[in-house]
Each structure stands twice: as C-alpha cells, then as structure tokens.
Amino acid sequence: MEFDFEKLAADDRYKLLTSTIVPRPIAWITTLSKNGVRNAAPFSFFNAMSKDPALLAVGIMADGDNSMKDTARNILDTREFVVNLVPRPAAEAMNLTSIDAPPEIDELSLAKLDTRPSLKVRPERIAISPVSFECRLHTPIELSNQLIAIGEVVQAHVADEVMLDPAKLYVDTPKLDLISRLHGRGLYGAAETTFQMPRPQSYEEMKKEKARV
Ligand SMILES: Cc1cc2nc3c(=O)[nH]c(=O)nc-3n(C[C@H](O)[C@H](O)[C@H](O)COP(=O)(O)O)c2cc1C
C-alpha cells in the first residue's frame, strides 16, 4: 500500500513512523531549567549522526496541549543536556519520567534517581545509566513548539564494569543491557536475538572475485 505523507494527518504519520522504524534507542535526557530545576525525560526519536564533530539528534515534539516540552525549553535556554542510555533495570524509572510533570517538579527526585555530576555541562548524569553523553547544543531546529536538537557530545561516561579494554576502547556492549522502543503502546525490546554479518568487501574486490568464477 502507498501512503501520501503530504495528505496524512500528523497522528497517522506518527503511527506509521513508529510502527515501522524499530527498534529505536532511547535517549533519557537530563536538563536544567534556567531556574535550576532538574528535569529528566525519555525520547526515542534519537540516534547518533556523525563522528567529527560527534553529533547526535533528538526529536522533541510538542506536548499534548501544543506547548513546548520542558526538555526542549531547557535545551534552548541553557544549550546543555545529557543523553543517558537506558539499561533494563531502569525501565520503570525511565517510564515514570515520561510523566507530564509541571516544569517546577524535579523529575529526578520524583523517580528517586541517583545522579552524578557531569564534567563539562551543568545537568547531572543518571547514575544507573551505564553510558551518558554530555552534550552542548550544536544546532537547534525549531518547528513551532517542536525542537530537533542536534547536540555535540563533549564528554562520554562509560561505566568501568562494561569496558573490556579501555586502551582499545572496546566496550562489552551486550553487558550494557540496553532497552529500545518498539511498535505499539508500551512495547520495548532488548538485544536478545542477534546475528553477525560481515560488511561487503570493496567493489574492486567484488569485481575481481566475479572475474575468478
Ligand atoms: C520510551 C519513550 C519514548 C519517548 N519518545 C519521545 C520522542 O521521541 N519525542 C517526544 O516528543 N516524546 C517522546 N516521549 C514522550 C516524552 O517522554 C514525554 O512527553 C515527557 O513528558 C516529556 O517530558 P518533559 O516535558 O519533561 O520534557 C517518549 C516517552 C517514552 C516513555
């Protein structure tokens, strides 16, 4: 079937996007308001975009009442945020921080989450997250009350116990036990089914190979 995205209602586009683009990693973002109130919320419109500079992007849509979400407002006001990745034991706390708490509520306290100071930005990182990326806002794309925040990672925290070989930067990725967002309401996945597939050889090698057979 074909779907004309230029004619579909936004909620219907959302349905098709989120039921097909899976799994999506979850950025559990911590920010500070300009008054210093701590905020945390999860976002699955998220991924890494480049390495030089190290950029990641997060899509923060407008709230149900069409206002700007606290995370978006805080990022625009302070130009700083931390992306914490979500291990399975943190699933419930992460979910709780998606609540529509008013801006004056400290959502880290609400979800009883321990934090650790960041090194280069003011928002703290979430202690239970095995990986946290401290970001400075690189490019804000503002679409009325939505924000696509492109952040530059300026510091990464990776828990000691998941580092296999710090000198070579080898991480024990399965040990991170990260969850991802799937289709439907409230469906999550973990990396349980995996398979290995080497990258294709170079085009030149492929031509030589074909010439041999
Ligand atoms: C797993 C998960 C993923 C989410 N992904 C997004 C997303 O990508 N974009 C978005 O705007 N809201 C997303 N939400 C909803 C926000 O977390 C929610 O609107 C939250 O209240 C925003 O908080 P804030 O106002 O403190 O920023 C997601 C919620 C959950 C539970």
Side-chain angles (χ1 to χ4, degrees):
M1 287 187 81
E2 295 295 330
F3 298 96
D4 184 346
F5 263 53
E6 292 176 309
K7 293 196 179 128
L8 276 185
D11 285 349
D12 292 335
R13 291 187 209 131
Y14 177 84
K15 260 192 218 164
L16 284 174
L17 291 171
T18 56
S19 61
T20 54
I21 303 178
V22 290
R24 299 186 303 282
I26 301 169
W28 198 8
I29 300 190
T30 41
T31 52
L32 279 180
S33 75
K34 60 177 186 249
N35 302 324
V37 180
R38 302 185 310 167
N39 193 86
F43 298 90
S44 69
F45 283 10
F46 156 64
N47 222 312
M49 295 292 136
S50 76
K51 64 174 180 179
D52 190 16
L55 298 179
L56 48 78
V58 189
I60 307 167
M61 293 171 289
D63 233 331
D65 61 1
N66 215 27
S67 60
M68 189 170 267
K69 292 188 181 176
D70 297 336
T71 302
R73 171 53 46 221
N74 293 350
I75 291 175
L76 287 171
D77 284 347
T78 66
R79 301 188 72 86
E80 292 183 337
F81 59 104
V82 179
V83 168
N84 305 272
L85 302 184
V86 186
R88 197 195 286 240
E92 269 91 37
M94 174 280 294
N95 200 23
L96 180 55
T97 61
S98 73
I99 201 163
D100 57 345
E104 63 277 13
I105 298 298
D106 177 331
E107 287 172 336
L108 289 162
S109 301
L110 186 75
K112 298 190 174 56
L113 285 161
D114 286 338
T115 57
R116 299 282 179 274
S118 293
L119 295 183
K120 294 189 181 166
V121 299
R122 288 198 314 136
E124 294 171 330
R125 65 180 170 87
I126 297 173
I128 195 173
S129 295
V131 180
S132 301
F133 296 112
E134 299 180 22
C135 298
R136 294 202 186 104
L137 182 61
H138 182 279
T139 307
I141 302 175
E142 277 186 73
L143 305 160
S144 64
N145 279 335
Q146 306 184 67
L147 174 68
I148 297 170
I150 300 178
E152 178 173 355
V153 179
V154 292
Q155 185 78 30
H157 165 85
V158 184
D160 292 349
E161 60 273 20
V162 299
M163 285 309 301
L164 287 175
D165 184 340
K168 291 189 176 141
L169 304 179
Y170 289 169
V171 175
D172 187 350
T173 305
K175 202 171 177 184
L176 296 174
D177 196 19
L178 299 179
I179 58 168
S180 57
R181 191 71 176 82
L182 295 175
H183 49 286
R185 284 186 79 84
L187 192 67
Y188 292 84
E192 257 141 21
T193 315
T194 60
F195 66 95
Q196 200 148 23
M197 183 166 58
R199 283 270 293 269
Q201 54 199 340
S202 73
Y203 186 66
E204 282 308 312
E205 283 298 318
M206 194 178 78
K207 272 200 312 196
K208 278 188 218 156
E209 187 76 22
K210 271 200 172 150
R212 274 198 290 272
V213 289

